[in-house]
Amino acid sequence: MSFLVTGCSGFIGYHVTQTLLERGERVIGIDNMDPYYSVLLKEARLEGLRGFSGFEFYKGDINTEGFLEGLLERERGIRGIFHLAANAGVRYSLQDPCAFIDSNVRGHIKILEFARRLERLEHLVYASSSSVYGGNTKLPFSEEDPVEQPTSIYAMSKRSDELASFTYSYVYGLPQTGLRFFTVYGPLGRPDMAYYSFAQAMTQGVPLTLYDKGKPERDFTYISDVVSAVLGVFECPPAGGGSRVLNVGNDKPESVGYLVSLLERFLGCQAQVINKQRPSVDMERTWADISMIRGLIGWAPKVSLEEGIERFATWYKRDGSKFIG
Ligand SMILES: NC(=O)c1ccc[n+]([C@@H]2O[C@H](COP(=O)([O-])OP(=O)(O)OC[C@H]3O[C@@H](n4cnc5c(N)ncnc54)[C@H](O)[C@@H]3O)[C@@H](O)[C@H]2O)c1
């Protein structure tokens, strides 16, 4: 019996795969090594996974005709899927919207079609996003809040995934959980995300851009907490082949300005700041109501932003500057 992780060379996929392998599981990893950010970083993550005998990697795109079908022929014993492959990046989704529809929406349906044919599948856990809450102003964001107004193509693609998953559970009884991740950060993270690009600018002595003087807030969630949520939820599939969504966030929003001050402290350098007005696709504040996941599996985040940024900065000083966004 094995697990399938899509997007295994990505930030979250890599950490989930590594933890499964450390537990002695067999993991089939898929990634198309998309060059949206440093492929060197994706290769470095893969390198870490290749050291485990239980790991098998298939380089390919989930949308390529015959790719998943070929996998289905070879791998009948998959008991769990962690579908984490996607085009991420809210602003990039406005530049290349069709790429987001291809990877995130069409790709999600391809995975659902694959999953429904697996006889031994216990649970499909897939990545959604806090961005589905769009322009909502009621805080914290709850899974019961309306999510009909996505404010970016990326958010629209993730909400579409949730709807498609609902349909597949309804029609085929496929047990699924969509996890709405809130700003995940940590070592081997994504160079396109603010905390990483800020670290790059600060250590190179280049100015960084802050919106609304650093006042916007994010519910920054540390990677090891996210991995424990992903793997914990897997053990608890919805009854009767149903579909649900759960927030995975830190339940403690902090301002982007405070994030910069922590990076200054732990990287030991000063930020030069250019202030600009926040673009409309950027949310003003995110904050996860985590009562649902807490009630279901007893999950709660353990790593504070101060500890998490210290760990990230330690890794960044050693390795992170080699990779660019
Ligand atoms: N990191 C966050 O803060 C965050 C927040 C909310 C949601 N998410 C979601 O979590 C998931 C993982 O995010 P991440 O931060 O690890 O992103 P990531 O970009 O680091 O990882 C995604 C991986 O998927 C691969 N990929 C993309 N399209 C593919 C395709 N068509 N076929 C095969 N592989 C493909 C990419 O090469 C990449 O390695 C994504 O679905 C993302 O939208 C992430």
Side-chain angles (χ1 to χ4, degrees):
M1 296 293 273
S2 51
F3 289 94
L4 173 68
V5 179
T6 71
C8 67
S9 319
F11 173 40
I12 302 175
Y14 158 75
H15 284 281
V16 167
T17 304
Q18 191 190 39
T19 307
L20 285 167
L21 291 168
E22 280 167 357
R23 291 181 183 178
E25 303 288 356
R26 176 167 184 267
V27 182
I28 302 150
I30 293 179
D31 204 294
N32 67 354
M33 307 298 275
D34 184 293
Y36 162 61
Y37 67 76
S38 170
V39 173
L40 268 184
L41 174 53
K42 294 185 182 184
E43 276 163 3
R45 294 180 185 132
L46 263 188
E47 220 24 63
L49 301 175
R50 283 199 169 109
F52 292 87
S53 60
F55 181 60
E56 186 143 7
F57 178 61
Y58 292 91
K59 182 177 174 188
D61 194 304
I62 50 176
N63 276 315
T64 302
E65 282 315 314
F67 179 61
L68 288 174
E69 292 78 358
L71 194 67
L72 195 63
E73 301 277 296
R74 286 189 298 274
E75 303 284 353
R76 290 254 152 215
I78 294 173
R79 65 179 280 239
I81 300 179
F82 299 98
H83 175 39
L84 303 166
N87 275 340
V90 169
R91 271 171 242 145
Y92 175 47
S93 74
L94 299 179
Q95 288 163 27
D96 194 356
C98 291
F100 280 70
I101 302 305
D102 286 346
S103 272
N104 299 11
V105 184
R106 189 166 187 272
H108 189 74
I109 305 265
K110 288 288 247 180
I111 291 294
L112 293 171
E113 278 293 304
F114 174 78
R116 78 178 179 86
R117 292 182 165 83
L118 289 170
E119 281 150 23
R120 298 190 206 163
L121 188 75
E122 294 163 31
H123 197 179
L124 162 60
V125 178
Y126 67 91
S128 183
S129 165
S130 60
S131 64
V132 300
Y133 291 108
N136 287 14
T137 49
K138 179 193 146 285
L139 289 161
F141 296 149
S142 154
E143 293 89 339
E144 281 154 6
D145 294 341
V147 281
E148 271 81 53
Q149 295 178 331
T151 52
S152 68
I153 300 295
Y154 171 70
M156 180 272 279
S157 74
K158 289 291 174 183
R159 181 64 189 137
S160 305
D161 293 348
E162 294 180 354
L163 295 173
S165 280
F166 177 87
T167 307
Y168 270 72
S169 287
Y170 179 78
V171 177
Y172 300 109
L174 191 63
Q176 295 178 75
T177 304
L179 298 177
R180 293 177 175 171
F181 297 134
F182 283 64
T183 318
V184 189
Y185 73 100
L188 288 112
R190 274 179 29 212
D192 64 313
M193 289 183 72
Y195 69 96
Y196 200 126
S197 63
F198 288 172
Q200 228 151 22
M202 287 162 66
T203 51
Q204 290 168 4
V206 174
L208 56 88
T209 302
L210 273 192
Y211 296 125
D212 295 353
K213 299 189 174 153
K215 281 191 203 128
E217 290 184 351
R218 291 288 174 273
D219 206 359
F220 297 105
T221 314
Y222 192 69
I223 184 66
S224 59
D225 285 327
V226 169
V227 172
S228 70
V230 170
L231 298 182
V233 162
F234 174 79
E235 300 300 333
C236 198
S243 169
R244 66 175 168 225
V245 290
L246 296 170
N247 287 340
V248 177
N250 204 40
D251 191 18
K252 193 170 186 292
E254 303 274 15
S255 74
V256 177
Y258 181 56
L259 168 78
V260 171
S261 72
L262 289 177
L263 285 166
E264 287 182 322
R265 192 196 309 168
F266 295 117
L267 288 171
C269 50
Q270 197 74 29
Q272 297 170 44
V273 172
I274 298 171
N275 281 299
K276 284 196 183 160
Q277 199 179 350
R278 179 174 54 86
S280 60
V281 291
D282 269 34
M283 293 157 88
E284 191 182 353
R285 205 167 179 221
T286 65
W287 178 6
D289 177 337
I290 55 169
S291 47
M292 224 178 245
I293 187 168
R294 193 193 301 262
L296 191 72
I297 59 165
W299 179 84
K302 292 197 173 87
V303 181
S304 68
L305 186 60
E306 293 77 8
E307 287 170 308
I309 289 297
E310 184 172 12
R311 290 184 206 175
F312 166 72
T314 304
W315 170 79
Y316 184 85
K317 284 191 274 189
R318 201 186 57 230
D319 291 325
S321 55
K322 293 183 223 151
F323 312 113
I324 48 165

